[in-house]
Amino acid sequence: MFDVVVVGGGPSGATAAEDLARSGHKVALLDREGRIKPCGGAIPPRLMADFHVTEDQLVAKVSTARMISPTGRQVDIPIENGFVGMVDRKDFDPFLRARAVAAGATPFTGTFIRIDRENGTRVVYRDKASGEERSLETKLIIGADGARSRVGRAEVPGGDTIPYVLAYHEIIKAPPANATYDPMRCDVIYDGKISPDFYGWVFPHGDSCSVGMGTEVGSVDLKTATAALRAASGLTDCETLRREGAPIPLKPLDRWDNGRDVVLAGDAAGVVAPSSGEGIYYAMVGGRVAATAAAATLATGKAKNLMLARKLFMREHKTVFRVLASMQNAYYRSDSRRERFVSLCHDIDVQRLTFEAYMNKKLVKARPMAHIRIGIKNLGHLTGLVRETYV
């Protein structure tokens, strides 16, 4: 009998399993293994501090972000007083799982099938090695099995209707630094020819590089769009090391638990930041609050405490999510809007507050006049009253 079975061993599930194991609970961590999620791999300093991730896990430290508009306009934003850490998910996820196991979680490798409550509560899965159905008896389940979560679809209201962007990237062998590629810079490309409703990216990973894009538009050929992005970035001739694709959720679910014995975490709960698509930090926070909710439920015997996961997450992050969603809705709808968004990024107030908020994962309250100025400029750009800034 386990106290908790965590389904999914990505950043969210591994974090939940580690936290629960360290607090003395009997935890099973069920993961498919062998699957790498497409991900730019950016993590902020706050993640490293909150989750004790040391710099030896980084494949690069980025000091500049470049925004590129549909017409090719470029805005370089220096990351003052910090950096963006880059990880490769093929190494980072196994590191997190190994840490959870070292803390006391019991690993199982297989694919979730269903929850069986006929005789107690059991998580039924298909064992990867034998191909046989097996089960794990448990008191609670944390579903951390991605944007198309099987646990969520079966157990939580709304879990089968979560909207998502399809993301695709290619990990390539990084070229030497040149006029178009900087191993210390993240490029973010806002161009309808690459993605009509999201963006493309070129993120350095040390010896390799992640080049990809995302879209909610089903008619877009992801591989063709990525090939166009590679061509525009001078990366066509670089060796392709691997290709990966997966859905990325667009909105947190209104409910994360079933009121009984299941709570969701990470992509399964929809916690990817709008506009930026950032997911690793929020996935790990989601795993932590799910573990907190599970521990409270086990301690009190009250299933209503599973609701704590969403409450704790939204208490700290709902305002940031709301602001980012407003930005995405305002600026991602057309190339003319994307052009104005990149123009707005020239503003020094926007640059400073954007990366202070990114690194600290909260809106910066210390500069109220800067927020007022940004609001006025934002309105001007959206209405066309402000002339676009060119370089």
Side-chain angles (χ1 to χ4, degrees):
M1 165 70 77
F2 288 97
D3 293 320
V4 183
V5 171
V6 180
V7 180
S12 185
T15 299
E18 181 186 1
D19 280 6
L20 285 165
R22 288 194 185 281
S23 61
H25 295 93
K26 190 174 182 183
V27 183
L29 178 59
L30 175 64
D31 186 68
R32 290 192 297 175
E33 289 192 359
R35 177 185 176 278
I36 308 167
K37 182 183 175 182
C39 179
I43 64 172
R46 182 172 172 183
L47 180 152
M48 299 176 70
D50 288 358
F51 298 98
H52 308 292
V53 174
T54 53
E55 290 195 9
D56 61 327
Q57 293 302 316
L58 303 181
V59 293
K61 293 175 72 173
V62 168
S63 58
T64 305
R66 171 171 287 183
M67 309 299 172
I68 303 175
S69 79
T71 61
R73 178 188 314 171
Q74 300 175 355
V75 180
D76 283 7
I77 303 178
I79 302 169
E80 299 179 351
N81 305 315
F83 61 89
V84 176
M86 306 302 297
V87 298
D88 192 321
R89 294 289 295 273
K90 76 175 177 62
D91 302 313
F92 189 61
D93 288 18
F95 157 75
L96 295 176
R97 288 194 290 270
R99 196 164 69 169
V101 172
T106 304
F108 295 88
T109 304
T111 303
F112 171 85
I113 299 175
R114 64 183 182 276
I115 297 172
D116 186 347
R117 298 186 178 89
E118 198 169 306
N119 183 21
T121 300
R122 293 180 176 274
V123 171
V124 181
Y125 70 100
R126 189 169 305 283
D127 181 69
K128 184 175 182 179
S130 67
E132 298 176 353
E133 280 196 15
R134 296 181 180 174
S135 66
L136 303 168
E137 188 174 5
T138 187
K139 299 173 185 175
L140 299 175
I141 301 100
I142 293 177
D145 52 335
R148 290 172 173 164
S149 167
R150 291 187 178 185
V151 177
R153 281 184 286 173
E155 296 289 335
V156 176
D160 57 344
T161 59
I162 186 169
Y164 56 84
V165 161
L166 284 175
Y168 172 80
H169 80 158
E170 296 176 356
I171 296 292
I172 65 174
K173 187 174 181 179
N178 55 52
T180 59
Y181 179 78
D182 184 342
M184 299 291 288
R185 186 187 70 219
C186 286
D187 290 353
V188 184
I189 300 89
Y190 298 99
D191 186 345
K193 295 189 295 294
I194 302 300
S195 172
D197 58 340
F198 207 54
Y199 65 82
W201 68 82
V202 177
F203 285 3
H205 283 185
D207 293 337
S208 63
C209 175
S210 167
V211 185
M213 49 76 66
T215 181
E216 194 179 0
V217 179
S219 60
V220 173
D221 187 312
L222 305 183
K223 293 183 179 180
T224 299
T226 301
L229 175 56
R230 287 181 63 167
S233 304
L235 301 171
T236 298
D237 294 333
C238 296
E239 180 186 354
T240 301
L241 304 177
R242 64 179 197 266
R243 299 177 174 89
E244 296 146 3
I248 298 176
L250 290 174
K251 180 184 176 183
L253 291 175
D254 293 332
R255 182 164 181 171
W256 294 6
D257 69 280
N258 68 351
R260 181 178 181 180
D261 54 11
V262 172
V263 62
L264 303 179
D267 281 11
V271 292
V272 171
S275 180
S276 69
E278 182 191 357
I280 300 177
Y281 171 76
Y282 294 111
M284 294 179 75
V285 172
R288 177 151 289 173
V289 295
T292 300
T297 301
L298 291 168
T300 63
K302 297 179 179 179
K304 68 178 183 180
N305 283 324
L306 293 173
M307 297 173 65
L308 281 172
R310 192 179 191 280
K311 288 181 178 179
L312 290 171
F313 185 95
M314 289 301 177
R315 181 183 299 168
E316 183 167 5
H317 299 293
K318 70 177 180 181
T319 302
V320 171
F321 271 51
R322 186 181 300 124
V323 169
L324 292 175
S326 297
M327 285 178 56
Q328 181 170 337
N329 292 334
Y331 285 111
Y332 286 17
R333 62 178 62 180
S334 69
D335 272 357
S336 61
R337 289 289 184 95
R338 283 185 273 268
E339 199 72 42
R340 290 191 172 276
F341 175 69
V342 174
S343 180
L344 183 63
C345 290
H346 279 280
D347 189 272
I348 192 66
D349 289 325
V350 171
Q351 293 181 11
R352 287 175 176 170
L353 292 180
T354 295
F355 277 99
E356 285 183 33
Y358 171 80
M359 289 187 290
N360 298 302
K361 286 292 165 274
K362 59 180 68 175
L363 295 179
V364 181
K365 299 180 180 179
R367 299 177 182 172
M369 289 308 299
H371 283 286
I372 293 172
R373 290 195 298 269
I374 289 172
I376 294 171
K377 294 168 186 173
N378 188 49
L379 181 61
H381 278 277
L382 286 173
T383 58
L385 295 176
V386 174
R387 293 183 63 186
E388 297 180 44
T389 305
Y390 290 86
V391 293

